[in-house]
Amino acid sequence: MPTQLEHARDGTVTPAMERVAERENRDPEFVRQQVADGQAVVPKNHEHASLDPMIIGREFATKVNANIGNSETTSSREEELQKLHTAVHYGADTVMDLSTGANLDEIREMQIEHSPVPVGTVPIYEAVTRVDDVADITPDLLLDVIEKQAEQGVDYMTVHAGVLAEHLPLTDGRTTGIVSRGGSILAQWMEENGAQNPLFTHFEEICEIFREHDVTFSLGDGLRPGSLADAGDDAQFAELDTLGELTRVAWDHGVQVMVEGPGHVPMDEIRENVERQQEVCDGAPFYVLGPLVTDVAPGYDHITSAIGATEAARAGAAMLCYVTPKEHLGLPDAEDVRDGMAAYRIAAHAGDVAAGLPGARDWDDALSEARYDFDWNRQFDLALDPERARDYHDQTLPGDNYEDARFCSMCGAEFCSMRIDQDARDADGEMEDIDADTDLSASPAADVNLPPVGVHDTSDVPESAEFEDDRADDLAADD
């Protein structure tokens, strides 16, 4: 069965591309051309039956990935399913299962079965669990793990094939060394075996597995900077040059590719990083972790990174990997997933508004109009996180009567600026009345830039996982 890339090159608009065009409010032929040119990817393993197709590319709405998964010490099957539910509910466009603990196959199969969004993995993590020592990993073991995960239905995989033995000395003067789990594992393997990275030497064999199942490459940045001090160093950019070469190899095999980007970058260097990747990798979609723009805020790194993510999205990054408040501190739970998703949906949307994507600001205008009209229920329905917005309002002004009030508890009735402005306009004929009515149903914006977030076609998701969000019905009723 051809891959989405091969279909696109042949001039075929697949059903997945048709669905993407519908969700992005774009011409299907434009979607096909972007995929054919390698400028966008539609991650869709042939075996992922519950998937609602989506697209990742700089010409489309910025997407958000949520990392989930257990560790050796924390989380259960039920907790991981709840994380998946939470991520999708709050707007994740993809999820990555980074599990490193027990029951890896069971958890992965569960996530794929219940996920309407693409599922990614890092196969070297499972390879490590199969051996007593990292040095015992063999190329055949890596290929076996990759093939098994592809057969299970994984849509994209992080493959750290760009970390080469000759790059390792370039990390010697770093403040934080090699911070990528995959990168550090491969560095240890190369040091102990005195051999080149097996993911690099066997890259074409991996391409053949990916082509058979239409798995998308997420070429990992194993030498990404883990601190501002290490950003933009020779190690980072040496790996990037290799990733550019591997991108072209994968394309030659008919395999879709996106490229992962750095984690800690000063604000003023973010645009340069994005533009450099686009040039080196011939426009392949850029998928960035953050970047974190400061290192001083453990416990708040969903904020430090969302700031950088907004700038990256504005500069052309196609997908943002969220960071939760637990980054650097512990394994996220469902509430951390919620906070991370909120921060990154804000970042992605703000980037799209700043970049001038069609209709992206319509959502902002509609909510602002509801705010000025003191239409509290409309505000809640339009909010990125309606439950939290309603809860915060009702903590200080509970009761249905306050949902019609022309004030909130921050200013009260006497000092509410919008109430004062409205009264002045009513009393003074020289000030025009404000009459705006944004019609979101007519907006050209992509689905992710329209409320509510987290709405996917879940008709193929088993009923045991409740991903449907009834906010969509509520919003339609209000419209």
Side-chain angles (χ1 to χ4, degrees):
M1 187 181 300
T3 66
Q4 294 292 322
L5 177 56
E6 290 172 324
H7 276 306
R9 287 172 172 171
D10 290 341
T12 301
V13 176
T14 65
M17 296 176 203
E18 290 276 5
R19 173 59 177 155
V20 163
E22 176 187 359
R23 299 182 71 180
E24 297 284 332
N25 273 321
R26 296 296 187 93
D27 188 323
E29 176 59 25
F30 178 74
V31 172
R32 184 201 66 77
Q33 190 63 58
Q34 286 286 298
V35 175
D37 293 342
Q39 308 302 286
V41 296
V42 179
K44 187 181 183 302
N45 189 310
H46 301 318
E47 302 302 319
H48 190 167
S50 61
L51 181 68
D52 187 13
M54 52 79 71
I55 194 165
I56 302 166
R58 68 182 179 278
E59 295 297 327
F60 302 94
T62 305
K63 303 307 189 299
V64 175
N65 170 70
N67 287 340
I68 58 177
N70 71 3
S71 73
E72 292 179 288
T73 60
T74 310
S75 193
S76 65
R77 181 185 184 279
E78 292 71 24
E79 288 173 297
E80 289 310 311
L81 188 58
Q82 181 58 36
K83 289 181 193 175
L84 173 65
H85 170 91
T86 302
V88 172
H89 182 77
Y90 289 106
D93 299 294
T94 74
V95 296
M96 287 203 78
D97 177 15
L98 305 185
S99 294
T100 57
N103 304 317
L104 296 182
D105 280 332
E106 180 184 356
I107 288 175
R108 188 182 310 114
E109 290 172 355
M110 174 195 68
Q111 305 289 32
I112 293 168
E113 180 184 11
H114 291 93
S115 178
V117 304
V119 174
T121 61
V122 186
I124 197 167
Y125 294 172
E126 180 179 349
V128 171
T129 68
R130 292 202 190 180
V131 295
D132 294 327
D133 186 88
V134 166
D136 296 334
I137 295 174
T138 65
D140 285 343
L141 172 59
L142 285 170
L143 293 172
D144 286 346
V145 169
I146 288 169
E147 185 165 26
K148 182 196 67 174
Q149 292 190 7
E151 290 172 348
Q152 287 177 309
V154 172
D155 301 290
Y156 67 99
M157 296 187 201
T158 293
V159 178
H160 298 91
V163 182
L164 303 186
E166 53 266 37
H167 298 160
L168 301 185
L170 300 176
T171 68
D172 288 346
R174 281 185 160 186
T175 297
T176 48
I178 299 175
V179 299
S180 158
R181 287 195 294 197
S184 64
I185 291 166
L186 287 164
Q188 180 183 348
W189 188 94
M190 287 185 278
E191 289 285 345
E192 295 189 12
N193 287 282
Q196 185 58 277
N197 181 351
L199 295 175
F200 177 80
T201 58
H202 291 73
F203 188 75
E204 294 200 61
E205 293 168 72
I206 299 171
C207 287
E208 288 305 312
I209 295 171
F210 278 26
R211 182 187 175 278
E212 180 180 355
H213 301 278
D214 201 358
V215 177
T216 298
F217 271 110
S218 185
L219 292 177
D221 52 341
L223 301 181
R224 66 177 179 267
S227 57
L228 298 191
D230 297 338
D233 68 358
D234 290 343
Q236 176 191 337
F237 290 135
E239 181 186 24
L240 178 61
D241 290 340
T242 304
L243 297 183
E245 298 170 8
L246 294 175
T247 295
R248 291 180 279 276
V249 172
W251 282 343
D252 288 344
H253 284 77
V255 179
Q256 301 184 92
V257 181
M258 56 184 169
V259 177
E260 296 184 16
H264 295 243
V265 180
M267 187 78 165
D268 59 307
E269 297 179 17
I270 291 174
R271 176 169 289 276
E272 174 191 350
N273 270 261
V274 175
E275 292 175 350
R276 184 166 183 161
Q277 181 275 338
Q278 290 290 275
E279 179 180 357
V280 170
C281 300
D282 295 340
F286 201 23
Y287 165 32
V288 296
L289 176 68
L292 286 75
V293 296
T294 181
D295 300 332
V296 302
Y300 298 93
D301 279 333
H302 60 313
I303 299 173
T304 66
S305 61
I307 294 169
T310 303
E311 178 63 12
R314 187 169 77 97
M319 186 161 75
L320 312 174
C321 184
Y322 87 161
V323 173
T324 77
K326 289 274 183 64
E327 187 77 8
H328 303 115
L329 302 173
L331 188 73
D333 60 18
E335 190 62 19
D336 297 315
V337 170
R338 177 181 183 175
D339 289 342
M341 278 309 309
Y344 271 72
R345 281 263 59 102
I346 293 167
H349 180 71
D352 288 347
V353 171
L357 262 65
R361 211 192 71 186
D362 290 346
W363 184 2
D364 303 79
D365 293 346
L367 194 145
S368 296
E369 291 159 11
R371 178 174 290 147
Y372 186 77
D373 290 340
F374 295 104
D375 188 340
W376 294 103
N377 287 320
R378 179 66 171 163
Q379 280 192 65
F380 302 148
D381 288 339
L382 290 174
L384 184 83
D385 185 341
E387 296 96 336
R388 182 161 292 179
R390 184 182 295 275
D391 178 59
Y392 281 2
H393 172 272
D394 291 353
Q395 283 177 13
T396 50
L397 289 177
D400 293 341
N401 57 316
Y402 285 113
E403 291 185 0
D404 296 323
R406 296 174 68 209
F407 62 91
C408 71
S409 65
M410 182 173 184
C411 297
E414 184 176 356
F415 288 96
C416 178
S417 58
M418 289 189 181
R419 192 226 16 108
I420 294 170
D421 181 78
Q422 288 179 0
D423 289 349
R425 290 178 187 278
D426 290 341
D428 185 349
E430 295 183 6
M431 296 177 67
E432 292 185 7
D433 290 339
I434 296 176
D435 185 18
D437 186 16
T438 300
D439 182 6
L440 290 180
S441 66
S443 173
D447 278 359
V448 298
N449 279 320
L450 292 171
V453 301
V455 176
H456 305 273
D457 181 354
T458 57
S459 57
D460 292 320
V461 174
E463 293 183 2
S464 57
E466 298 297 333
F467 288 115
E468 279 293 355
D469 186 351
D470 57 11
R471 286 176 289 162
D473 296 332
D474 294 340
L475 186 69
D478 288 339
D479 285 338

